[in-house]
Amino acid sequence: MTYSSRPPGAEPPPAHEPPPTGAAVPPAPRAPGTAAMAPPAPGTAPPAPGTAAGPGAGTAAPGQGERPRKPRDPFFDNAKYFAILLVVAGHVIANVRSDVPIAKALYLFIYMFHMPLFIVITGYLSRNWTFSTGKARKLITHVGVPYVVFEVAYEIYAWLGEGGELTISLLKPYWLMWFMCALFLWRLSTPVWQQIRWPLGIALLFALLSYMSDLGGTFNIHRVLGLLPLYVLGLTLKPEHFELLKKPIARPIGAAVLAGGLAMAYFAKDRMTESWVFWKTPYEDLGVSNVTGTVMTLAMFSCATVLVAAFLAVVPRGRHWFSALGATTLYTYLLHGFIIRLLDYLDWWDSAWMHTVPGTIILLGASAVLGTVLCSPLVVRCMSWALEPKMTWAFTSLRRPAGRGAAGKGGRRTAGRPAR
């Protein structure tokens, strides 16, 4: 979930800095046996650096001009596809976990790392994000606009299904919409984390301090700050870190770690307060001191990081039929909530067969089908107007401070003249 569903485009190469005015430029050495290049005719522009002159020229030399878009890495698309299946599965079995012990253990296990996994990947894919015009517009159309559209849609949907008073507040995200709000704020902060010396340590300090007091529900701020270290962790990772997880020896180790994590979740299901895995409750409301809460939060971060690494170690490396679906997991994330809430409103979860082990298995299979269908090409074509709108009509050219340009022009016009 993104969250960037597509890798950022490559930046154009920096322009060559011209020599100082009046400085003599030594001629470039010629290879033996090559003819000297004739100077350009008067009134014509000299050839661009790296291009050939003469009839038939026009193809840029390697490394010049616009760089081709780097192909998508199926590894990350595969990881996002399986991660979104975990998100849907977690929301499905949440309704039966109180009656089925294995469902409760699975719920705790999934919630320990499924959103941290998305956040780490999102941070890694956002490491080249800047305030450039194209990326800023994409942040608005692919994160900001879907947040507004689906926040309003979910509030109206809940009003129709539950009754009561209709309230729409963009400051307090509804249910799963917190991730869109957090993603918008995290990505805006990316250039800051890219320039400070200890980004991960500072982000972790903010997270630990945020749980020591009640910050309210605006923007779901406890989750925004509490999960910030995982986003910053993704920003600091390099391709070679993921190459370690792709080594053959990593797969059995990752599988063993995941099996151990599920066993630990089964042990902790009746001994641990579930609110810890939601990352949104201050220590006081959890009934622990700041010291105990800090230690527990550090342990949660450690477990989440280990489980994320283990999950990535078992993710398929190559391209498969589901790889393309990994690029559109945001569709599943934002749409599956309507199905889950519909079953709530129809009291469908009260069916006795669901609250059994076989019923839990069937629900897990159904959640996998639902998650796959909602990010299929057909759904993407039908819903792209809301999740990936073009909205070229809403943008203008980049505005720059008027005083800066005027001062520059005025300075050139009045250079050498006394001030009036």
Side-chain angles (χ1 to χ4, degrees):
M1 234 172 6
T2 216
Y3 171 87
S4 175
S5 63
R6 294 177 175 85
E11 296 292 335
H16 297 284
E17 183 177 355
T21 304
V25 181
R30 290 185 287 111
T34 58
M37 181 180 296
T44 61
T51 59
T59 304
Q64 298 295 332
E66 184 178 357
R67 296 178 182 175
R69 181 181 293 273
K70 186 177 181 181
R72 296 182 67 91
D73 185 350
F75 172 74
F76 293 105
D77 285 336
N78 296 341
K80 289 191 292 181
Y81 169 74
F82 286 107
I84 199 63
L85 296 188
L86 290 179
V87 172
V88 180
H91 287 156
V92 168
I93 64 176
N95 299 277
V96 300
R97 70 184 189 276
S98 58
D99 299 318
V100 185
I102 188 61
K104 187 174 183 179
L106 278 172
Y107 180 83
L108 189 62
F109 173 67
I110 290 172
Y111 269 72
M112 275 296 299
F113 75 95
H114 74 315
M115 289 313 296
L117 171 64
F118 262 121
I119 295 169
V120 169
I121 294 177
T122 300
Y124 176 74
L125 297 178
S126 302
R127 66 195 188 282
N128 293 325
W129 195 89
T130 63
F131 285 110
S132 64
T133 303
K135 292 179 180 178
R137 291 182 179 183
K138 190 173 181 179
L139 176 62
I140 294 171
T141 58
H142 288 43
V143 181
V145 172
Y147 170 67
V148 175
V149 170
F150 281 87
E151 176 67 24
V152 173
Y154 270 113
E155 292 285 5
I156 296 176
Y157 194 67
W159 172 63
L160 294 174
E162 301 172 0
E165 184 179 357
L166 174 62
T167 57
I168 298 176
S169 174
L170 298 180
L171 301 182
K172 293 187 177 181
Y174 176 84
W175 188 28
L176 50 75
M177 295 307 299
W178 71 267
F179 179 71
M180 301 298 290
C181 177
L183 177 57
F184 192 91
L185 297 175
W186 291 334
R187 193 157 285 171
L188 281 179
S189 70
T190 298
V192 175
W193 301 112
Q194 296 286 36
Q195 296 185 56
I196 59 180
R197 189 176 296 275
W198 304 288
L200 187 56
I202 294 176
L204 184 59
L205 179 62
F206 283 163
L208 296 176
L209 293 177
S210 70
Y211 290 114
M212 292 185 181
S213 57
D214 190 350
L215 303 180
T218 302
F219 291 139
N220 217 315
I221 193 64
H222 278 296
R223 275 175 166 165
V224 173
L225 294 178
L227 292 166
L228 176 62
L230 295 167
Y231 179 80
V232 177
L233 173 62
L235 290 176
T236 59
L237 292 176
K238 302 182 185 302
E240 49 265 31
H241 295 136
F242 292 95
E243 291 302 320
L244 294 175
L245 299 177
K246 295 179 183 180
K247 292 182 178 296
I249 188 60
R251 179 163 288 174
I253 295 176
V257 170
L258 291 176
L262 180 58
M264 287 298 298
Y266 192 88
F267 173 79
K269 62 181 175 59
D270 297 322
R271 299 173 174 85
M272 174 182 171
T273 303
E274 284 185 353
S275 297
W276 285 105
V277 299
F278 301 143
W279 303 89
K280 65 177 183 179
T281 309
Y283 299 144
E284 183 179 2
D285 292 347
L286 289 170
V288 298
S289 66
N290 288 337
V291 175
T292 302
T294 299
V295 173
M296 183 65 179
T297 303
L298 288 173
M300 292 281 294
F301 275 124
S302 300
C303 291
T305 303
V306 171
L307 290 174
V308 166
F311 183 86
L312 291 174
V314 301
V315 165
R317 278 70 160 150
R319 190 169 298 280
H320 300 274
W321 64 268
F322 49 78
S323 298
L325 302 179
T328 54
T329 52
L330 188 60
Y331 286 78
T332 295
Y333 184 81
L334 292 178
L335 294 173
H336 83 281
F338 291 103
I339 307 299
I340 302 297
R341 282 291 182 256
L342 177 62
L343 300 181
D344 290 342
Y345 303 149
L346 298 177
D347 295 327
W348 198 67
W349 300 111
D350 293 337
S351 300
W353 68 268
M354 291 186 183
H355 299 262
T356 62
V357 173
T360 300
I361 296 174
I362 294 174
L363 288 177
L364 290 174
S367 69
V369 173
L370 176 64
T372 301
V373 170
L374 290 180
C375 58
S376 64
L378 177 60
V379 174
V380 171
R381 284 195 299 270
C382 293
M383 295 301 301
S384 60
W385 61 271
L387 281 92
E388 298 178 283
K390 301 297 183 183
M391 295 186 62
T392 53
W393 52 268
F395 298 103
T396 183
S397 58
L398 184 63
R399 299 186 184 94
R400 300 187 182 278
R404 180 180 178 183
K409 293 179 181 179
R412 288 192 294 271
R413 286 197 303 267
T414 60
R417 300 180 184 175
R420 295 181 180 178

